[in-house]
């Protein structure tokens, strides 16, 4: 039997690299779209992208510049364009396919919801926030919705912070190693997250659940606050203590290391209501279990 084909757009990052390995392990044929010469099609070569997409079963778009930077005018434009223009290019190419993908899962972000420390934000009852990050998320999802691809089911995946052997874990572990792994700001802000393996399983699950439509929240049902997050990071590394970082110092430090305090101070409380109602079971529902697995080095399939 011919293996199913998945096209991963933006496959060179932490999540994309993991997805490539996992799809191959599961017996899929993998094609890629990206900036690297090694990709099967490069961005804005519509003909090449159409050729890669034609006959594929599933399209997963992970493209997007890192938001771990200062939000000056140039970076704002790069962050927005890297999401909107790539989604637009995939829409054009999919529309030209003789056999378009059955499912198009497009990255979005749980940051689209407001700062929430009172109750969780589900797909149905969640309230969208305001500000630059939310504007980007809205534009991203609007571009997906605007794509005219009647033969393809489109699902924006509102991802929480993705944990694995890379990504956000590297700076958190470095802080803990230096003795600076205490809580950040008030420490009460919610931290919604998902293990990268569960994110991969969510993508397969959504693809197989034809009744799932509209935005889907990809986050564990067991978020923690920042105080517990940093405590568990320290524990997973065997570090006994960590100096807390007040908000004013975070603001100063963020300027020096050229990032935004929003990444750690915004309270993200994302509820995966659609996944739970559809029967999805998380392999890593608790942060303690996820961090223990990551510390053991098992979250990277190339290491097992």
């Amino acid at each position: 039997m011919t293996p199913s084909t998945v096209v991963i757009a933006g496959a060179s990052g932490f999540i994309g690299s993991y997805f490539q390995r996992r799809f191959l392990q599961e017996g899929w044929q993998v094609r890629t779209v990206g900036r690297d010469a090694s990709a099967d099609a490069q961005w804005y070569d519509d003909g090449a992208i159409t050729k890669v997409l034609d006959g594929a079963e599933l399209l997963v778009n992970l493209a997007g510049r890192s938001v771990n930077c200062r939000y000056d005018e140039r970076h704002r434009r790069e962050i927005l364009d890297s999401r909107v223009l790539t989604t637009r290019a995939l829409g054009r190419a999919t529309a030209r396919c003789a056999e378009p993908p059955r499912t198009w899962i497009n990255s979005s972000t749980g940051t689209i919801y407001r700062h929430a420390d009172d109750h969780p934000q589900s797909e149905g009852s969640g309230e969208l926030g305001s500000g630059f990050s939310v504007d980007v998320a809205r534009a991203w999802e609007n571009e997906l919705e605007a794509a005219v691809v009647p033969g393809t089911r489109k699902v924006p995946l509102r991802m929480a912070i993705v944990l694995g052997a890379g990504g956000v874990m590297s700076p958190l572990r470095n802080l803990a190693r230096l003795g600076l792994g205490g809580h950040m700001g008030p420490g009460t802000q919610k931290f919604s997250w998902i293990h990268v393996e569960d994110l991969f399983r969510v993508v397969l699950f959504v693809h197989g659940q034809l009744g799932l439509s509209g935005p889907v929240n990809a986050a564990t049902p067991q978020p923690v606050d920042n105080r517990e997050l940093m405590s568990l990071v320290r524990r997973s590394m065997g570090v006994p203590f960590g100096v807390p970082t007040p908000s004013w110092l975070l603001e100063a430090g963020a300027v020096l290391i050229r990032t935004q305090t929003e990444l750690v101070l915004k309270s993200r409380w994302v509820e995966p209501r659609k996944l739970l109602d559809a029967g999805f079971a998380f392999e890593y529902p608790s942060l303690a279990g996820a961090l223990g697995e990551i510390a053991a080095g098992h979250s990277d399939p190339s290491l097992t």
Side-chain angles (χ1 to χ4, degrees), residues 140-164:
W140 205 359
E141 292 192 5
N142 288 342
E143 194 63 46
L144 177 67
E145 185 177 1
V148 181
V149 287
T152 301
R153 178 170 55 108
K154 301 176 293 183
V155 179
L157 198 62
R158 291 177 175 172
M159 299 188 297
I161 301 294
V162 183
L163 302 184

Side-chain angles (χ1 to χ4, degrees), residues 84-146:
V84 171
L85 298 184
T86 51
T87 300
R88 187 176 302 166
L90 291 171
R92 289 194 305 265
T94 300
R96 294 190 177 101
C97 288
E99 296 180 60
R102 182 160 62 89
T103 309
W104 175 2
I105 296 176
N106 209 69
S107 292
S108 182
T109 173
T111 302
I112 198 169
Y113 298 110
R114 65 171 173 82
H115 178 98
D117 50 15
D118 49 353
H119 60 77
Q121 306 292 298
S122 70
E123 299 93 342
S125 63
E127 302 163 75
L128 302 191
S130 59
F132 171 68
S133 296
V134 174
D135 291 344
V136 169
R138 285 175 179 266
W140 205 359
E141 292 192 5
N142 288 342
E143 194 63 46
L144 177 67
E145 185 177 1

Side-chain angles (χ1 to χ4, degrees), residues 8 30 35 43 63-64 89 217 268:
I8 303 176
V30 176
R35 293 172 298 174
W43 287 116
N217 289 345
R268 297 171 171 86

